[in-house]
Amino acid sequence: MNRLLPLRIALAAVGAALSCAACRDLLPPAPAGPSQQPTSARAAMECSVSRVDRTLRCASPAPVAGGPRANLTYGGQGIHVRLASSGVTYDGGAEELHADVTVQNLFDEPIGTPNGYTVGQTRVFYSILPYVVGGTGTVAVDSADGTDTFLAPDQPYYAYDELIRPGAISSPRTWWWSVPATVDSFRFTVYVETEVPFETGVLHWTRQSGGQSQRNVRGIWGSGANDVYAVGDDGGLLHWDGAGWVATPMPCGCGDPFHALWGSGPHDVWAATDYGTILHYDGSEWGPTYTPGYTHVYGLWGSGPGDVLAVGDSGSVNHFDGSDWTPQATPTLIPLNGVWGDASGPDRWAVGDSGTILHDLGGGWEPQASGVSMPLWGVWGTSATDVFAVGDAGTVLHWNGTAWSAMDPGTTNDLQAVWGRSATDVYAAGSGGVLVHWDGAAWSPVDAGTSDDLHALWGVGASLAYLGGDNGTIQRTSGGGAWTPVSGMPGNQLNGAWAAGASNAFAVGDFGQVLHWDGADWTSQTSNTVNRLQAVWGAAANNVWAVGNGGTILHYDGTDWTPVGPEPETVLHGVWGSSATDVYVVGEAGVVLHWDGAAWTPVDVGGGVEAYWFAVWGSGPADVYVVGMDGAVVHWDGASWTPVDAYVSESLYAVWGSAPDDVYVVGQNGTLMHWDGTDWNPEIFGAPWTFRGVGGSDAAHVYAVGTDGIMLRRGPYGWYPMTTATDVDLNAVWVQAPGQAFAVGGNGVILNGHR
């Protein structure tokens, strides 16, 4: 099936959790599900080309009205694909301009394929042909592979004949245009049309909470004590609002590592990914603003909303003037890692590998002699005559307005960040948790309270400061006290999820945590227990059950959570019902309980007290499965419970189905079995992970989740991996509708599955 997509110029490298080929080897074909046509506004990509500067860059205009095939398009810049350009050249003799362009797949499924393994085609087509905006003359498309009817008849396109897996980048395709020397710049608008295996269902999993604490923190910045941001390698952003750290959903769920963060105030915050995307927060929402081709961005700084600099690979410097980003010429191709300037004057500095220091006094970037050859990672100062740069092997350099000179920080550890409040209060941080302080006379060591490598340093006011580093480290000091780990980080393990609708969902986890989703935010609810909650299910939004350790059974009436007996002294793992008066709870020591609307009563399903039951599900009151340890499965047919041989000995942790003849059980050692109404068949077995959850909305939209962030979707020809931007264990998945789902797991991670 073909889909039209908007695009942006940029680059990223998001790896799939598992190759589709590996999935295919594990399982047999499955029947295709029904086809549905999604609808959405479309947002085209308007691209600008400069013959003079040899640049090609794109931005997304406002969404526009539909066309002949608009029901196959999606809005949202950079959400589905990216284009990246390189090698922009101009042949004056032939009057031709060339650019090598690649397509990157930001879907959580392969593109350029109808089924996940047959090679199809991705086509980039012109919806608006090139038109001149600088100079005079006419620009023509010279290299199109053909024309077709996309949004209108006879639209030229470029063809990419390859399967592009999630996060992968296509081979480059050379585009060229006939451009007279009288043309300085021109623009055009393009879309992407591609084949995808799944026309319906979840296309992206976006993290809404948690899951950050295992990755490295690369940037910290805030506008005040109660408005602090942190970004890192996992592609997530945390925000401190004075009450707790909250994971902030970003406009791309692809998990690009963030390496830079800066802002001028609460309504002007910038973040940049390692793969070149620059995002902006306007006080309301985050959105991508610019993606400078193949350039990785490593540093951000500005003097205000209308003066922001981004530095990165190949000596690149890009400048934002309040309305647009433009590249600035530099005398180097060496990567630049940090940037800082004097907000009260024209002086700007950028530092990078091989001891590179560039200075701009308003007339262009010029090199300065540093006297060192090792990489420099950070730069900061108090004025144009008091600037510090730090780097590997304990390098600290100081600029006094005339020359750079070396300082002795008392350490040979690599230093990666520098920041201060004044000329006599400066900190530098780096590898092994090293932190040193400059008091105007000498550098002295400070106990950072961690041995993890430190990459980020920022503070506000007279005494509040933060450090960020490896393994999710965020350290804080206030009032001159010790550096200690921050509190309020999202991190409690979540074990179960259930939703009454797209704007009414619940997640439960450790320490009695209950979270509620109202369509905009996840908020905590008082559960009246500190026991671990293992599962949640509801008959309605005001009739929800949660179960957990210590025999905990909680009921939610739409207002409060209340403990309900009989509370057997064991761990309860699963809860499910066919109605408000037909609810089952299962757990260890052979416990199975049934709720008839008035009371809980024990149920003997066989197996005795040695049985450990982990999950329960049914298609109705006379078709119920309970699964547990060592491959145990029992079935209720409305009259009696009978054991079922599912041909496995591995423990089974979850069960779900769409009908009596379409049931899945999942568990240890990658076990995934399917009941077709006649027999149990292995669809995956012996994979290097454990499945902890399975769920769907119907037979065509089924998902399985497990350890290390694994997420698989069942498709027409088997199970396919989907990228999730997390490597923590996923414990449960709930699918409310083909394009609406939630998955939860370790470190408080909540993933929102959406179109």
Side-chain angles (χ1 to χ4, degrees), residues 517-547:
W517 171 255
D518 62 4
D521 296 297
W522 287 94
T523 56
S524 294
Q525 294 186 333
T526 301
S527 67
N528 294 305
T529 184
V530 295
N531 290 339
R532 170 182 286 186
L533 297 176
Q534 302 278 10
V536 60
W537 175 88
N542 61 352
N543 189 357
V544 186
W545 298 91
V547 300

PDB file of all heavy atoms in Angstrom, residues 517-547:
ATOM      1  N   TRP A 517      -4.182   9.013  32.703  1.00  0.00           N
ATOM      2  CA  TRP A 517      -4.019   9.824  31.493  1.00  0.00           C
ATOM      3  C   TRP A 517      -5.358  10.429  31.123  1.00  0.00           C
ATOM      4  O   TRP A 517      -6.356   9.719  30.980  1.00  0.00           O
ATOM      5  CB  TRP A 517      -3.506   8.944  30.361  1.00  0.00           C
ATOM      6  CG  TRP A 517      -3.494   9.572  29.003  1.00  0.00           C
ATOM      7  CD1 TRP A 517      -4.353   9.333  27.971  1.00  0.00           C
ATOM      8  CD2 TRP A 517      -2.550  10.530  28.509  1.00  0.00           C
ATOM      9  NE1 TRP A 517      -4.020  10.075  26.871  1.00  0.00           N
ATOM     10  CE2 TRP A 517      -2.917  10.824  27.169  1.00  0.00           C
ATOM     11  CE3 TRP A 517      -1.451  11.171  29.065  1.00  0.00           C
ATOM     12  CZ2 TRP A 517      -2.205  11.717  26.389  1.00  0.00           C
ATOM     13  CZ3 TRP A 517      -0.740  12.075  28.279  1.00  0.00           C
ATOM     14  CH2 TRP A 517      -1.117  12.336  26.965  1.00  0.00           C
ATOM     15  N   ASP A 518      -5.378  11.769  30.976  1.00  0.00           N
ATOM     16  CA  ASP A 518      -6.616  12.468  30.641  1.00  0.00           C
ATOM     17  C   ASP A 518      -6.619  12.985  29.213  1.00  0.00           C
ATOM     18  O   ASP A 518      -7.472  13.795  28.842  1.00  0.00           O
ATOM     19  CB  ASP A 518      -6.853  13.618  31.612  1.00  0.00           C
ATOM     20  CG  ASP A 518      -5.755  14.681  31.557  1.00  0.00           C
ATOM     21  OD1 ASP A 518      -4.838  14.555  30.706  1.00  0.00           O
ATOM     22  OD2 ASP A 518      -5.810  15.624  32.369  1.00  0.00           O
ATOM     23  N   GLY A 519      -5.678  12.521  28.422  1.00  0.00           N
ATOM     24  CA  GLY A 519      -5.567  12.982  27.046  1.00  0.00           C
ATOM     25  C   GLY A 519      -4.510  14.034  26.865  1.00  0.00           C
ATOM     26  O   GLY A 519      -4.101  14.311  25.735  1.00  0.00           O
ATOM     27  N   ALA A 520      -4.062  14.638  27.978  1.00  0.00           N
ATOM     28  CA  ALA A 520      -3.027  15.666  27.904  1.00  0.00           C
ATOM     29  C   ALA A 520      -1.834  15.339  28.795  1.00  0.00           C
ATOM     30  O   ALA A 520      -0.686  15.553  28.405  1.00  0.00           O
ATOM     31  CB  ALA A 520      -3.594  17.030  28.303  1.00  0.00           C
ATOM     32  N   ASP A 521      -2.089  14.824  30.010  1.00  0.00           N
ATOM     33  CA  ASP A 521      -1.015  14.577  30.971  1.00  0.00           C
ATOM     34  C   ASP A 521      -1.282  13.296  31.762  1.00  0.00           C
ATOM     35  O   ASP A 521      -2.440  12.882  31.953  1.00  0.00           O
ATOM     36  CB  ASP A 521      -0.888  15.739  31.967  1.00  0.00           C
ATOM     37  CG  ASP A 521      -0.495  17.037  31.293  1.00  0.00           C
ATOM     38  OD1 ASP A 521       0.616  17.088  30.730  1.00  0.00           O
ATOM     39  OD2 ASP A 521      -1.300  17.977  31.327  1.00  0.00           O
ATOM     40  N   TRP A 522      -0.185  12.705  32.242  1.00  0.00           N
ATOM     41  CA  TRP A 522      -0.258  11.631  33.217  1.00  0.00           C
ATOM     42  C   TRP A 522      -0.133  12.230  34.609  1.00  0.00           C
ATOM     43  O   TRP A 522       0.801  12.985  34.872  1.00  0.00           O
ATOM     44  CB  TRP A 522       0.868  10.620  32.992  1.00  0.00           C
ATOM     45  CG  TRP A 522       0.681   9.763  31.785  1.00  0.00           C
ATOM     46  CD1 TRP A 522       1.189   9.986  30.533  1.00  0.00           C
ATOM     47  CD2 TRP A 522      -0.062   8.549  31.710  1.00  0.00           C
ATOM     48  NE1 TRP A 522       0.801   8.985  29.685  1.00  0.00           N
ATOM     49  CE2 TRP A 522       0.041   8.079  30.375  1.00  0.00           C
ATOM     50  CE3 TRP A 522      -0.801   7.800  32.628  1.00  0.00           C
ATOM     51  CZ2 TRP A 522      -0.560   6.905  29.952  1.00  0.00           C
ATOM     52  CZ3 TRP A 522      -1.401   6.630  32.201  1.00  0.00           C
ATOM     53  CH2 TRP A 522      -1.287   6.194  30.888  1.00  0.00           C
ATOM     54  N   THR A 523      -1.065  11.922  35.497  1.00  0.00           N
ATOM     55  CA  THR A 523      -1.033  12.433  36.865  1.00  0.00           C
ATOM     56  C   THR A 523      -1.180  11.272  37.841  1.00  0.00           C
ATOM     57  O   THR A 523      -1.826  10.260  37.551  1.00  0.00           O
ATOM     58  CB  THR A 523      -2.155  13.450  37.112  1.00  0.00           C
ATOM     59  OG1 THR A 523      -3.418  12.840  36.795  1.00  0.00           O
ATOM     60  CG2 THR A 523      -1.962  14.698  36.254  1.00  0.00           C
ATOM     61  N   SER A 524      -0.574  11.431  39.010  1.00  0.00           N
ATOM     62  CA  SER A 524      -0.640  10.393  40.031  1.00  0.00           C
ATOM     63  C   SER A 524      -1.986  10.417  40.742  1.00  0.00           C
ATOM     64  O   SER A 524      -2.574  11.482  40.962  1.00  0.00           O
ATOM     65  CB  SER A 524       0.479  10.590  41.055  1.00  0.00           C
ATOM     66  OG  SER A 524       1.737  10.388  40.474  1.00  0.00           O
ATOM     67  N   GLN A 525      -2.462   9.238  41.103  1.00  0.00           N
ATOM     68  CA  GLN A 525      -3.656   9.104  41.917  1.00  0.00           C
ATOM     69  C   GLN A 525      -3.296   8.380  43.211  1.00  0.00           C
ATOM     70  O   GLN A 525      -2.400   7.538  43.239  1.00  0.00           O
ATOM     71  CB  GLN A 525      -4.742   8.319  41.175  1.00  0.00           C
ATOM     72  CG  GLN A 525      -5.294   9.026  39.959  1.00  0.00           C
ATOM     73  CD  GLN A 525      -6.460   8.277  39.329  1.00  0.00           C
ATOM     74  OE1 GLN A 525      -6.570   7.068  39.434  1.00  0.00           O
ATOM     75  NE2 GLN A 525      -7.338   9.014  38.658  1.00  0.00           N
ATOM     76  N   THR A 526      -3.985   8.730  44.287  1.00  0.00           N
ATOM     77  CA  THR A 526      -3.752   8.078  45.571  1.00  0.00           C
ATOM     78  C   THR A 526      -4.344   6.678  45.539  1.00  0.00           C
ATOM     79  O   THR A 526      -5.544   6.501  45.311  1.00  0.00           O
ATOM     80  CB  THR A 526      -4.382   8.892  46.709  1.00  0.00           C
ATOM     81  OG1 THR A 526      -3.804  10.199  46.719  1.00  0.00           O
ATOM     82  CG2 THR A 526      -4.132   8.213  48.049  1.00  0.00           C
ATOM     83  N   SER A 527      -3.483   5.682  45.769  1.00  0.00           N
ATOM     84  CA  SER A 527      -3.939   4.293  45.675  1.00  0.00           C
ATOM     85  C   SER A 527      -4.269   3.688  47.030  1.00  0.00           C
ATOM     86  O   SER A 527      -4.879   2.621  47.096  1.00  0.00           O
ATOM     87  CB  SER A 527      -2.868   3.441  45.004  1.00  0.00           C
ATOM     88  OG  SER A 527      -1.714   3.347  45.833  1.00  0.00           O
ATOM     89  N   ASN A 528      -3.804   4.337  48.113  1.00  0.00           N
ATOM     90  CA  ASN A 528      -4.020   3.823  49.472  1.00  0.00           C
ATOM     91  C   ASN A 528      -3.300   2.495  49.703  1.00  0.00           C
ATOM     92  O   ASN A 528      -3.736   1.672  50.509  1.00  0.00           O
ATOM     93  CB  ASN A 528      -5.513   3.675  49.782  1.00  0.00           C
ATOM     94  CG  ASN A 528      -6.220   5.023  49.811  1.00  0.00           C
ATOM     95  OD1 ASN A 528      -5.816   5.921  50.544  1.00  0.00           O
ATOM     96  ND2 ASN A 528      -7.243   5.176  48.978  1.00  0.00           N
ATOM     97  N   THR A 529      -2.187   2.284  48.984  1.00  0.00           N
ATOM     98  CA  THR A 529      -1.327   1.139  49.251  1.00  0.00           C
ATOM     99  C   THR A 529       0.092   1.485  48.819  1.00  0.00           C
ATOM    100  O   THR A 529       0.288   2.344  47.950  1.00  0.00           O
ATOM    101  CB  THR A 529      -1.790  -0.119  48.494  1.00  0.00           C
ATOM    102  OG1 THR A 529      -0.955  -1.223  48.872  1.00  0.00           O
ATOM    103  CG2 THR A 529      -1.691   0.058  46.992  1.00  0.00           C
ATOM    104  N   VAL A 530       1.077   0.827  49.441  1.00  0.00           N
ATOM    105  CA  VAL A 530       2.469   0.956  49.011  1.00  0.00           C
ATOM    106  C   VAL A 530       2.941  -0.343  48.360  1.00  0.00           C
ATOM    107  O   VAL A 530       4.102  -0.460  47.968  1.00  0.00           O
ATOM    108  CB  VAL A 530       3.392   1.319  50.191  1.00  0.00           C
ATOM    109  CG1 VAL A 530       3.049   2.691  50.731  1.00  0.00           C
ATOM    110  CG2 VAL A 530       3.321   0.263  51.295  1.00  0.00           C
ATOM    111  N   ASN A 531       2.073  -1.314  48.239  1.00  0.00           N
ATOM    112  CA  ASN A 531       2.436  -2.581  47.616  1.00  0.00           C
ATOM    113  C   ASN A 531       2.586  -2.421  46.109  1.00  0.00           C
ATOM    114  O   ASN A 531       1.943  -1.567  45.484  1.00  0.00           O
ATOM    115  CB  ASN A 531       1.372  -3.646  47.898  1.00  0.00           C
ATOM    116  CG  ASN A 531       1.352  -4.073  49.350  1.00  0.00           C
ATOM    117  OD1 ASN A 531       2.339  -3.894  50.072  1.00  0.00           O
ATOM    118  ND2 ASN A 531       0.237  -4.635  49.797  1.00  0.00           N
ATOM    119  N   ARG A 532       3.437  -3.269  45.548  1.00  0.00           N
ATOM    120  CA  ARG A 532       3.586  -3.277  44.095  1.00  0.00           C
ATOM    121  C   ARG A 532       2.267  -3.698  43.455  1.00  0.00           C
ATOM    122  O   ARG A 532       1.668  -4.701  43.833  1.00  0.00           O
ATOM    123  CB  ARG A 532       4.684  -4.246  43.673  1.00  0.00           C
ATOM    124  CG  ARG A 532       4.736  -4.486  42.161  1.00  0.00           C
ATOM    125  CD  ARG A 532       5.799  -5.483  41.778  1.00  0.00           C
ATOM    126  NE  ARG A 532       7.119  -4.882  41.889  1.00  0.00           N
ATOM    127  CZ  ARG A 532       8.247  -5.490  41.496  1.00  0.00           C
ATOM    128  NH1 ARG A 532       8.200  -6.714  40.977  1.00  0.00           N
ATOM    129  NH2 ARG A 532       9.411  -4.887  41.633  1.00  0.00           N
ATOM    130  N   LEU A 533       1.833  -2.917  42.473  1.00  0.00           N
ATOM    131  CA  LEU A 533       0.640  -3.256  41.691  1.00  0.00           C
ATOM    132  C   LEU A 533       1.089  -3.898  40.383  1.00  0.00           C
ATOM    133  O   LEU A 533       1.943  -3.352  39.673  1.00  0.00           O
ATOM    134  CB  LEU A 533      -0.206  -2.015  41.438  1.00  0.00           C
ATOM    135  CG  LEU A 533      -0.769  -1.345  42.709  1.00  0.00           C
ATOM    136  CD1 LEU A 533      -1.512  -0.065  42.357  1.00  0.00           C
ATOM    137  CD2 LEU A 533      -1.685  -2.300  43.469  1.00  0.00           C
ATOM    138  N   GLN A 534       0.502  -5.042  40.063  1.00  0.00           N
ATOM    139  CA  GLN A 534       0.971  -5.841  38.936  1.00  0.00           C
ATOM    140  C   GLN A 534       0.106  -5.709  37.686  1.00  0.00           C
ATOM    141  O   GLN A 534       0.605  -5.915  36.571  1.00  0.00           O
ATOM    142  CB  GLN A 534       1.004  -7.321  39.344  1.00  0.00           C
ATOM    143  CG  GLN A 534       1.878  -7.637  40.537  1.00  0.00           C
ATOM    144  CD  GLN A 534       3.344  -7.785  40.157  1.00  0.00           C
ATOM    145  OE1 GLN A 534       3.747  -7.478  39.050  1.00  0.00           O
ATOM    146  NE2 GLN A 534       4.150  -8.257  41.094  1.00  0.00           N
ATOM    147  N   ALA A 535      -1.168  -5.397  37.854  1.00  0.00           N
ATOM    148  CA  ALA A 535      -2.060  -5.385  36.691  1.00  0.00           C
ATOM    149  C   ALA A 535      -3.266  -4.500  36.962  1.00  0.00           C
ATOM    150  O   ALA A 535      -3.632  -4.254  38.121  1.00  0.00           O
ATOM    151  CB  ALA A 535      -2.516  -6.805  36.348  1.00  0.00           C
ATOM    152  N   VAL A 536      -3.904  -4.039  35.886  1.00  0.00           N
ATOM    153  CA  VAL A 536      -5.087  -3.194  35.991  1.00  0.00           C
ATOM    154  C   VAL A 536      -6.035  -3.545  34.839  1.00  0.00           C
ATOM    155  O   VAL A 536      -5.595  -3.865  33.731  1.00  0.00           O
ATOM    156  CB  VAL A 536      -4.707  -1.695  35.971  1.00  0.00           C
ATOM    157  CG1 VAL A 536      -3.979  -1.327  34.686  1.00  0.00           C
ATOM    158  CG2 VAL A 536      -5.930  -0.810  36.178  1.00  0.00           C
ATOM    159  N   TRP A 537      -7.315  -3.500  35.123  1.00  0.00           N
ATOM    160  CA  TRP A 537      -8.345  -3.737  34.107  1.00  0.00           C
ATOM    161  C   TRP A 537      -9.632  -3.098  34.592  1.00  0.00           C
ATOM    162  O   TRP A 537      -9.867  -2.977  35.800  1.00  0.00           O
ATOM    163  CB  TRP A 537      -8.585  -5.241  33.889  1.00  0.00           C
ATOM    164  CG  TRP A 537      -9.726  -5.507  32.942  1.00  0.00           C
ATOM    165  CD1 TRP A 537      -9.670  -5.596  31.598  1.00  0.00           C
ATOM    166  CD2 TRP A 537     -11.102  -5.696  33.299  1.00  0.00           C
ATOM    167  NE1 TRP A 537     -10.926  -5.825  31.079  1.00  0.00           N
ATOM    168  CE2 TRP A 537     -11.824  -5.896  32.108  1.00  0.00           C
ATOM    169  CE3 TRP A 537     -11.790  -5.701  34.515  1.00  0.00           C
ATOM    170  CZ2 TRP A 537     -13.201  -6.098  32.094  1.00  0.00           C
ATOM    171  CZ3 TRP A 537     -13.170  -5.907  34.496  1.00  0.00           C
ATOM    172  CH2 TRP A 537     -13.860  -6.110  33.285  1.00  0.00           C
ATOM    173  N   GLY A 538     -10.488  -2.675  33.661  1.00  0.00           N
ATOM    174  CA  GLY A 538     -11.738  -2.058  34.048  1.00  0.00           C
ATOM    175  C   GLY A 538     -12.899  -2.481  33.174  1.00  0.00           C
ATOM    176  O   GLY A 538     -12.722  -2.808  31.991  1.00  0.00           O
ATOM    177  N   ALA A 539     -14.083  -2.467  33.764  1.00  0.00           N
ATOM    178  CA  ALA A 539     -15.311  -2.672  33.010  1.00  0.00           C
ATOM    179  C   ALA A 539     -15.808  -1.359  32.432  1.00  0.00           C
ATOM    180  O   ALA A 539     -16.541  -1.338  31.445  1.00  0.00           O
ATOM    181  CB  ALA A 539     -16.386  -3.286  33.904  1.00  0.00           C
ATOM    182  N   ALA A 540     -15.393  -0.258  33.070  1.00  0.00           N
ATOM    183  CA  ALA A 540     -15.760   1.089  32.630  1.00  0.00           C
ATOM    184  C   ALA A 540     -14.809   2.058  33.312  1.00  0.00           C
ATOM    185  O   ALA A 540     -14.045   1.681  34.208  1.00  0.00           O
ATOM    186  CB  ALA A 540     -17.209   1.410  32.992  1.00  0.00           C
ATOM    187  N   ALA A 541     -14.873   3.330  32.905  1.00  0.00           N
ATOM    188  CA  ALA A 541     -13.975   4.329  33.479  1.00  0.00           C
ATOM    189  C   ALA A 541     -14.183   4.517  34.972  1.00  0.00           C
ATOM    190  O   ALA A 541     -13.270   4.934  35.687  1.00  0.00           O
ATOM    191  CB  ALA A 541     -14.153   5.663  32.755  1.00  0.00           C
ATOM    192  N   ASN A 542     -15.371   4.203  35.470  1.00  0.00           N
ATOM    193  CA  ASN A 542     -15.663   4.333  36.902  1.00  0.00           C
ATOM    194  C   ASN A 542     -15.816   2.971  37.582  1.00  0.00           C
ATOM    195  O   ASN A 542     -16.465   2.848  38.616  1.00  0.00           O
ATOM    196  CB  ASN A 542     -16.922   5.169  37.111  1.00  0.00           C
ATOM    197  CG  ASN A 542     -18.152   4.555  36.466  1.00  0.00           C
ATOM    198  OD1 ASN A 542     -18.047   3.564  35.729  1.00  0.00           O
ATOM    199  ND2 ASN A 542     -19.309   5.138  36.727  1.00  0.00           N
ATOM    200  N   ASN A 543     -15.208   1.963  36.961  1.00  0.00           N
ATOM    201  CA  ASN A 543     -15.268   0.617  37.533  1.00  0.00           C
ATOM    202  C   ASN A 543     -13.990  -0.122  37.133  1.00  0.00           C
ATOM    203  O   ASN A 543     -13.976  -0.937  36.215  1.00  0.00           O
ATOM    204  CB  ASN A 543     -16.504  -0.117  37.032  1.00  0.00           C
ATOM    205  CG  ASN A 543     -16.734  -1.426  37.766  1.00  0.00           C
ATOM    206  OD1 ASN A 543     -15.944  -1.822  38.624  1.00  0.00           O
ATOM    207  ND2 ASN A 543     -17.817  -2.103  37.412  1.00  0.00           N
ATOM    208  N   VAL A 544     -12.889   0.189  37.832  1.00  0.00           N
ATOM    209  CA  VAL A 544     -11.560  -0.283  37.465  1.00  0.00           C
ATOM    210  C   VAL A 544     -10.975  -1.076  38.625  1.00  0.00           C
ATOM    211  O   VAL A 544     -11.123  -0.687  39.799  1.00  0.00           O
ATOM    212  CB  VAL A 544     -10.632   0.900  37.104  1.00  0.00           C
ATOM    213  CG1 VAL A 544      -9.292   0.392  36.585  1.00  0.00           C
ATOM    214  CG2 VAL A 544     -11.291   1.810  36.070  1.00  0.00           C
ATOM    215  N   TRP A 545     -10.282  -2.159  38.307  1.00  0.00           N
ATOM    216  CA  TRP A 545      -9.637  -3.002  39.306  1.00  0.00           C
ATOM    217  C   TRP A 545      -8.123  -3.000  39.094  1.00  0.00           C
ATOM    218  O   TRP A 545      -7.642  -3.018  37.964  1.00  0.00           O
ATOM    219  CB  TRP A 545     -10.146  -4.443  39.211  1.00  0.00           C
ATOM    220  CG  TRP A 545     -11.618  -4.597  39.476  1.00  0.00           C
ATOM    221  CD1 TRP A 545     -12.629  -4.565  38.566  1.00  0.00           C
ATOM    222  CD2 TRP A 545     -12.231  -4.803  40.750  1.00  0.00           C
ATOM    223  NE1 TRP A 545     -13.848  -4.737  39.170  1.00  0.00           N
ATOM    224  CE2 TRP A 545     -13.637  -4.903  40.524  1.00  0.00           C
ATOM    225  CE3 TRP A 545     -11.756  -4.934  42.055  1.00  0.00           C
ATOM    226  CZ2 TRP A 545     -14.548  -5.095  41.553  1.00  0.00           C
ATOM    227  CZ3 TRP A 545     -12.660  -5.144  43.078  1.00  0.00           C
ATOM    228  CH2 TRP A 545     -14.040  -5.226  42.833  1.00  0.00           C
ATOM    229  N   ALA A 546      -7.375  -3.006  40.215  1.00  0.00           N
ATOM    230  CA  ALA A 546      -5.922  -3.154  40.188  1.00  0.00           C
ATOM    231  C   ALA A 546      -5.530  -4.175  41.247  1.00  0.00           C
ATOM    232  O   ALA A 546      -6.105  -4.193  42.343  1.00  0.00           O
ATOM    233  CB  ALA A 546      -5.223  -1.826  40.453  1.00  0.00           C
ATOM    234  N   VAL A 547      -4.551  -5.031  40.927  1.00  0.00           N
ATOM    235  CA  VAL A 547      -4.128  -6.081  41.855  1.00  0.00           C
ATOM    236  C   VAL A 547      -2.616  -6.085  41.957  1.00  0.00           C
ATOM    237  O   VAL A 547      -1.909  -5.606  41.060  1.00  0.00           O
ATOM    238  CB  VAL A 547      -4.630  -7.465  41.405  1.00  0.00           C
ATOM    239  CG1 VAL A 547      -6.153  -7.485  41.327  1.00  0.00           C
ATOM    240  CG2 VAL A 547      -4.012  -7.864  40.057  1.00  0.00           C
TER     241      VAL A 547
END
